[in-house]
Amino acid sequence: MVVAIDGPAGAGKSTVAYAVAEALGFTYLDSGAMYRAVALSVLETGESPQQRAAAMRIELGDRITADGRDVTDAIRTTEVAEAASRVALDQGVRSALVEKQRALLATGDWVAEGRDIGTVVAPNAELKVFLTADAEERARRRADELGADWRMILSDQALRDQQDRSREASPLRAAPDAVELDTTGLGVEEVVTKIVELIHAGR
Ligand code: CDP
């Protein structure tokens, strides 16, 4: 079974998806980590994003490795986030990563999160959730995580949201059959409980 969780930056997808996976005994797939790993490699090597995406071996888990190197922390900077949003515009990059994601999702039970899980990667997912929250709250959450100023994060986030929503290849949008959940003012536990209830209701 696949549970797809999509939404803009800072909507709480990673924390929520991880917790839902834990609650259900499913495996968690952070598709954004793959775009970040490709972006980091492009920044470091100067090679083409498509070439990197096709050639890299990315392993996800408690630690994230790229060609055997631990990049768990290196991919979390705002510089890499911005570069990830840029490499994610490229259809060649997307095809290579979507193929890797589909291969993982083909066996077992997953909670997968990203921008295009419900629309492109797993259109037959049993449950699709589109998580949102107002922009200021999203920026404040991310600033708390990074120990940064939320106003700076807000402008980076607006740029990235705009790029993700308006791109031609797999733009960020809710699948027609997704359940939209606005998490403004909600704690992680409340959101996780709602999603677990939706899964049980659908069975
Ligand atoms: O954690 P945050 O939501 O800020 O970002 P992320 O999920 O780590 O993704 C980083 C960037 O990768 C996003 O801004 C998107 O441009 C891109 N991405 C994508 O295009 N498709 C996905 N399935 C996941 C991420």
Side-chain angles (χ1 to χ4, degrees):
M1 160 170 195
V2 174
V3 177
I5 302 185
D6 292 300
K13 293 184 308 287
S14 306
T15 315
V16 165
Y18 182 80
V20 171
E22 286 280 290
L24 298 169
F26 289 13
T27 312
Y28 162 59
L29 175 67
D30 176 0
S31 65
M34 291 187 171
Y35 290 91
R36 286 171 180 262
V38 170
L40 176 67
S41 176
V42 169
L43 289 173
E44 287 177 349
T45 63
E47 286 181 32
S48 92
Q50 278 201 28
Q51 191 283 337
R52 289 284 71 218
M56 281 174 77
R57 189 168 43 84
I58 304 168
E59 276 164 317
L60 305 177
D62 285 343
R63 309 297 297 176
I64 294 155
T65 64
D67 292 327
R69 171 181 151 216
D70 189 327
V71 295
T72 315
D73 300 321
I75 61 170
R76 295 295 158 198
T77 65
T78 47
E79 188 197 3
V80 172
E82 218 282 301
S85 183
R86 263 183 285 122
V87 303
L89 297 170
D90 184 316
Q91 185 56 58
V93 169
R94 303 205 68 85
S95 305
L97 296 188
V98 168
E99 191 182 315
K100 293 183 206 283
Q101 291 153 16
R102 286 187 179 149
L104 289 170
L105 299 182
T107 51
D109 292 319
W110 294 85
V111 179
E113 61 115 332
R115 303 290 190 285
D116 60 344
I117 306 296
T119 51
V120 175
V121 179
N124 296 323
E126 281 82 351
L127 175 68
K128 300 176 188 177
V129 177
F130 195 79
L131 278 192
T132 58
D134 75 39
E136 188 174 316
E137 177 151 336
R138 292 191 283 116
R140 285 184 191 276
R141 287 178 187 164
R142 186 50 57 93
D144 283 350
E145 254 170 46
L146 295 171
D149 178 48
W150 71 269
R151 289 174 206 84
M152 290 281 294
I153 302 272
L154 186 63
S155 61
D156 287 352
Q157 179 184 277
L159 177 77
R160 203 143 65 86
D161 282 353
Q162 163 63 15
Q163 198 154 270
D164 290 349
R165 286 204 168 95
S166 61
R167 69 183 173 215
E168 216 165 290
S170 313
L172 167 67
R173 63 176 174 82
D177 53 347
V179 178
E180 293 206 31
L181 254 183
D182 184 343
T183 70
T184 310
L186 295 182
V188 173
E189 275 311 308
E190 285 167 282
V191 181
V192 171
T193 305
K194 275 185 199 267
I195 295 176
V196 170
E197 278 170 10
L198 286 170
I199 293 164
H200 289 143
R203 275 184 174 166

Short mmCIF file of all heavy atoms in Angstrom, two decimals, residues 8-10 13-14 30-33 35-36 76 81 84-85 88 94 101 113-117 142 160 164 167, ligand 1:
data_model
loop_
_atom_site.label_atom_id
_atom_site.label_comp_id
_atom_site.label_asym_id
_atom_site.label_seq_id
_atom_site.Cartn_x
_atom_site.Cartn_y
_atom_site.Cartn_z
N PRO A 8 3.61 22.02 -0.32
CA PRO A 8 4.71 22.97 -0.45
C PRO A 8 5.74 22.86 0.69
O PRO A 8 5.50 22.15 1.67
CB PRO A 8 4.00 24.32 -0.40
CG PRO A 8 2.78 24.07 0.41
CD PRO A 8 2.36 22.67 0.10
N ALA A 9 6.85 23.58 0.53
CA ALA A 9 7.92 23.59 1.54
C ALA A 9 7.38 24.01 2.90
O ALA A 9 6.60 24.96 3.00
CB ALA A 9 9.01 24.57 1.10
N GLY A 10 7.80 23.27 3.92
CA GLY A 10 7.47 23.68 5.29
C GLY A 10 6.06 23.36 5.74
O GLY A 10 5.65 23.76 6.82
N LYS A 13 5.45 18.09 5.84
CA LYS A 13 5.38 16.77 5.19
C LYS A 13 6.35 15.76 5.78
O LYS A 13 5.96 14.64 6.08
CB LYS A 13 5.71 16.88 3.69
CG LYS A 13 4.72 17.63 2.88
CD LYS A 13 5.11 17.58 1.41
CE LYS A 13 6.54 18.00 1.13
NZ LYS A 13 6.82 19.41 1.24
N SER A 14 7.62 16.16 5.94
CA SER A 14 8.63 15.19 6.37
C SER A 14 8.32 14.66 7.76
O SER A 14 8.31 13.44 7.98
CB SER A 14 10.03 15.82 6.38
OG SER A 14 10.29 16.37 5.13
N ASP A 30 11.39 9.76 1.39
CA ASP A 30 11.56 11.21 1.30
C ASP A 30 12.08 11.51 -0.11
O ASP A 30 13.30 11.49 -0.35
CB ASP A 30 12.57 11.63 2.38
CG ASP A 30 12.91 13.11 2.33
OD1 ASP A 30 12.38 13.83 1.46
OD2 ASP A 30 13.73 13.54 3.17
N SER A 31 11.16 11.77 -1.06
CA SER A 31 11.60 11.97 -2.45
C SER A 31 12.41 13.25 -2.60
O SER A 31 13.31 13.34 -3.44
CB SER A 31 10.40 11.96 -3.40
OG SER A 31 9.57 13.07 -3.15
N GLY A 32 12.11 14.26 -1.76
CA GLY A 32 12.85 15.51 -1.83
C GLY A 32 14.33 15.31 -1.54
O GLY A 32 15.18 16.02 -2.10
N ALA A 33 14.65 14.32 -0.69
CA ALA A 33 16.06 14.06 -0.36
C ALA A 33 16.82 13.65 -1.62
O ALA A 33 18.01 13.95 -1.76
CB ALA A 33 16.17 12.97 0.71
N TYR A 35 16.15 14.77 -4.77
CA TYR A 35 16.42 15.99 -5.53
C TYR A 35 17.53 16.80 -4.86
O TYR A 35 18.39 17.39 -5.53
CB TYR A 35 15.13 16.83 -5.67
CG TYR A 35 14.13 16.17 -6.59
CD1 TYR A 35 13.18 15.28 -6.10
CD2 TYR A 35 14.18 16.39 -7.96
CE1 TYR A 35 12.28 14.64 -6.95
CE2 TYR A 35 13.30 15.76 -8.82
CZ TYR A 35 12.35 14.88 -8.31
OH TYR A 35 11.48 14.24 -9.16
N ARG A 36 17.52 16.81 -3.53
CA ARG A 36 18.58 17.52 -2.81
C ARG A 36 19.94 16.86 -3.05
O ARG A 36 20.96 17.56 -3.21
CB ARG A 36 18.26 17.54 -1.31
CG ARG A 36 17.14 18.50 -0.94
CD ARG A 36 16.72 18.33 0.51
NE ARG A 36 15.65 19.24 0.88
CZ ARG A 36 15.81 20.40 1.52
NH1 ARG A 36 17.02 20.79 1.89
NH2 ARG A 36 14.78 21.16 1.81
N ARG A 76 20.74 19.57 3.71
CA ARG A 76 19.68 20.33 4.39
C ARG A 76 19.88 21.84 4.40
O ARG A 76 19.11 22.56 5.04
CB ARG A 76 19.51 19.83 5.84
CG ARG A 76 19.01 18.41 5.94
CD ARG A 76 17.60 18.23 5.41
NE ARG A 76 17.34 16.84 5.05
CZ ARG A 76 16.35 16.44 4.25
NH1 ARG A 76 15.52 17.32 3.72
NH2 ARG A 76 16.20 15.18 3.96
N ALA A 81 18.59 23.48 -0.93
CA ALA A 81 17.14 23.46 -1.17
C ALA A 81 16.81 24.25 -2.44
O ALA A 81 16.02 23.82 -3.28
CB ALA A 81 16.40 24.05 0.03
N ALA A 84 17.98 22.40 -5.40
CA ALA A 84 17.11 21.23 -5.63
C ALA A 84 15.89 21.66 -6.44
O ALA A 84 15.48 20.98 -7.38
CB ALA A 84 16.68 20.62 -4.30
N SER A 85 15.33 22.80 -6.07
CA SER A 85 14.15 23.30 -6.77
C SER A 85 14.51 23.60 -8.24
O SER A 85 13.69 23.40 -9.13
CB SER A 85 13.63 24.54 -6.04
OG SER A 85 12.47 25.03 -6.62
N ALA A 88 15.04 20.29 -10.14
CA ALA A 88 13.73 19.62 -10.24
C ALA A 88 12.89 20.12 -11.41
O ALA A 88 11.86 19.56 -11.73
CB ALA A 88 12.96 19.77 -8.93
N ARG A 94 13.81 14.52 -13.44
CA ARG A 94 12.57 13.98 -12.86
C ARG A 94 12.36 12.52 -13.28
O ARG A 94 12.04 11.67 -12.47
CB ARG A 94 11.36 14.82 -13.25
CG ARG A 94 11.46 16.29 -12.88
CD ARG A 94 10.11 16.93 -12.73
NE ARG A 94 9.42 16.42 -11.57
CZ ARG A 94 9.58 16.87 -10.34
NH1 ARG A 94 10.38 17.88 -10.09
NH2 ARG A 94 8.95 16.31 -9.34
N GLN A 101 12.09 6.02 -7.61
CA GLN A 101 11.04 6.04 -6.59
C GLN A 101 10.02 4.93 -6.85
O GLN A 101 9.60 4.22 -5.93
CB GLN A 101 10.35 7.41 -6.56
CG GLN A 101 11.28 8.50 -6.02
CD GLN A 101 10.95 9.89 -6.54
OE1 GLN A 101 9.87 10.13 -7.08
NE2 GLN A 101 11.88 10.80 -6.40
N GLU A 113 6.58 10.99 0.46
CA GLU A 113 6.25 12.42 0.45
C GLU A 113 7.06 13.19 -0.57
O GLU A 113 8.19 12.81 -0.88
CB GLU A 113 6.40 13.02 1.85
CG GLU A 113 7.81 12.91 2.40
CD GLU A 113 8.49 14.23 2.60
OE1 GLU A 113 8.19 15.22 1.89
OE2 GLU A 113 9.38 14.27 3.47
N GLY A 114 6.43 14.26 -1.08
CA GLY A 114 7.12 15.08 -2.08
C GLY A 114 6.21 16.13 -2.65
O GLY A 114 5.43 16.76 -1.93
N ARG A 115 6.32 16.34 -3.98
CA ARG A 115 5.50 17.32 -4.68
C ARG A 115 4.58 16.66 -5.69
O ARG A 115 3.55 17.21 -6.05
CB ARG A 115 6.39 18.32 -5.44
CG ARG A 115 7.43 19.07 -4.59
CD ARG A 115 6.73 20.05 -3.68
NE ARG A 115 7.65 20.97 -3.00
CZ ARG A 115 8.43 20.65 -1.98
NH1 ARG A 115 8.43 19.43 -1.50
NH2 ARG A 115 9.21 21.56 -1.42
N ASP A 116 5.02 15.49 -6.18
CA ASP A 116 4.32 14.85 -7.32
C ASP A 116 4.03 13.38 -7.05
O ASP A 116 3.88 12.60 -7.98
CB ASP A 116 5.21 14.96 -8.56
CG ASP A 116 6.56 14.25 -8.37
OD1 ASP A 116 6.92 13.96 -7.21
OD2 ASP A 116 7.23 13.98 -9.38
N ILE A 117 3.99 12.98 -5.80
CA ILE A 117 3.78 11.55 -5.50
C ILE A 117 2.38 11.13 -5.95
O ILE A 117 2.20 10.16 -6.68
CB ILE A 117 3.98 11.22 -4.00
CG1 ILE A 117 5.35 11.70 -3.50
CG2 ILE A 117 3.81 9.72 -3.75
CD1 ILE A 117 6.54 11.04 -4.13
N ARG A 142 10.13 26.14 9.60
CA ARG A 142 11.42 25.84 8.99
C ARG A 142 12.53 26.62 9.70
O ARG A 142 13.62 26.10 9.91
CB ARG A 142 11.34 26.17 7.49
CG ARG A 142 12.52 25.81 6.64
CD ARG A 142 12.99 24.40 6.83
NE ARG A 142 12.01 23.37 6.60
CZ ARG A 142 11.81 22.74 5.46
NH1 ARG A 142 12.53 23.02 4.41
NH2 ARG A 142 10.92 21.79 5.35
N ARG A 160 10.79 29.40 -3.99
CA ARG A 160 10.77 27.96 -4.26
C ARG A 160 9.34 27.48 -4.55
O ARG A 160 9.12 26.71 -5.48
CB ARG A 160 11.35 27.23 -3.05
CG ARG A 160 11.90 25.88 -3.33
CD ARG A 160 13.14 25.63 -2.50
NE ARG A 160 12.90 25.59 -1.09
CZ ARG A 160 12.53 24.48 -0.44
NH1 ARG A 160 12.33 23.36 -1.10
NH2 ARG A 160 12.39 24.49 0.86
N ASP A 164 8.15 25.77 -7.93
CA ASP A 164 7.57 24.41 -7.90
C ASP A 164 6.17 24.39 -8.50
O ASP A 164 5.77 23.43 -9.15
CB ASP A 164 7.51 23.88 -6.46
CG ASP A 164 8.90 23.57 -5.89
OD1 ASP A 164 9.87 23.57 -6.66
OD2 ASP A 164 9.00 23.31 -4.66
N ARG A 167 6.28 25.34 -12.66
CA ARG A 167 7.11 24.63 -13.64
C ARG A 167 6.22 23.77 -14.54
O ARG A 167 5.13 23.35 -14.16
CB ARG A 167 8.17 23.78 -12.94
CG ARG A 167 7.60 22.60 -12.21
CD ARG A 167 8.68 21.83 -11.46
NE ARG A 167 8.05 20.81 -10.65
CZ ARG A 167 8.48 20.42 -9.47
NH1 ARG A 167 9.55 20.95 -8.94
NH2 ARG A 167 7.83 19.47 -8.82
O1 CDP B 1 11.70 19.87 2.82
P1 CDP B 1 11.13 20.75 1.76
O2 CDP B 1 9.63 20.53 1.60
O3 CDP B 1 11.51 22.15 1.91
O4 CDP B 1 11.80 20.31 0.41
P2 CDP B 1 12.09 18.87 -0.14
O5 CDP B 1 10.86 18.00 -0.03
O6 CDP B 1 13.32 18.34 0.49
O7 CDP B 1 12.32 19.15 -1.70
C1 CDP B 1 13.30 20.05 -2.18
C2 CDP B 1 12.92 20.49 -3.59
O8 CDP B 1 12.91 19.33 -4.44
C3 CDP B 1 11.52 21.08 -3.74
O9 CDP B 1 11.48 22.50 -3.62
C4 CDP B 1 11.09 20.67 -5.14
O10 CDP B 1 11.50 21.60 -6.10
C5 CDP B 1 11.85 19.39 -5.38
N1 CDP B 1 11.01 18.20 -5.29
C6 CDP B 1 10.26 17.85 -6.39
O11 CDP B 1 10.26 18.55 -7.39
N2 CDP B 1 9.53 16.71 -6.39
C7 CDP B 1 9.48 15.93 -5.30
N3 CDP B 1 8.76 14.80 -5.34
C8 CDP B 1 10.20 16.28 -4.15
C9 CDP B 1 10.97 17.44 -4.18
#
